[in-house]
Amino acid sequence: MASPAEIYESLRQAHAKADADAAAALYAPDGVYYEPDNVPHRGRDEIRTYLASYFANRGPVELTVKRQVGADAAMMTEWTSAYTQAGRRSSGVPGVSVVEVDGDGITYHRDYQ
């Protein structure tokens, strides 16, 4: 089983490619992702649909990891993001992700921004 840090790195790379399919594949079938507005997306299909819409609006999103703390099945990552939306470049936007994983992938993911 991949570590939470390895799974998060794969998620970060999927965001950099705006690849909703690759990102959603990292989640457990019943995983849940809470976006910063606390809206839950449950299961790979809902997560894929949300991310496809998100990437259609922002394109690739670069997440630069500032620090990470982790345990066997969970981790917290502080990051900044950079993306282009409506022709304007936004960079240095801070955030934090909390991720829990099991053998099926990401079971819980919450972003704070």
Side-chain angles (χ1 to χ4, degrees), residues 4 7 12-13 29 31 44 70 100 108:
I7 291 173
R12 192 184 73 75
Q13 290 176 19
R44 287 182 182 147
E100 294 178 0
Y108 174 88

Side-chain angles (χ1 to χ4, degrees), residues 41-113:
H41 304 281
R42 299 181 189 282
R44 287 182 182 147
D45 290 339
E46 275 189 34
I47 292 168
R48 181 183 300 107
T49 298
Y50 168 72
L51 290 174
S53 173
Y54 179 81
F55 293 142
N57 191 29
R58 291 191 173 176
V61 177
E62 299 167 35
L63 298 171
T64 302
V65 174
K66 300 300 183 182
R67 60 187 54 80
Q68 289 181 319
V69 229
D72 291 338
M75 68 170 303
M76 184 171 67
T77 303
E78 179 185 359
W79 45 261
T80 57
S81 66
Y83 55 87
T84 301
Q85 184 173 3
R88 295 185 63 195
R89 185 74 177 157
S90 179
S91 62
V93 179
V96 172
S97 294
V98 176
V99 175
E100 294 178 0
V101 302
D102 69 10
D104 291 331
I106 299 169
T107 57
Y108 174 88
H109 177 184
R110 182 180 293 265
D111 281 342
Y112 298 91
Q113 199 167 21

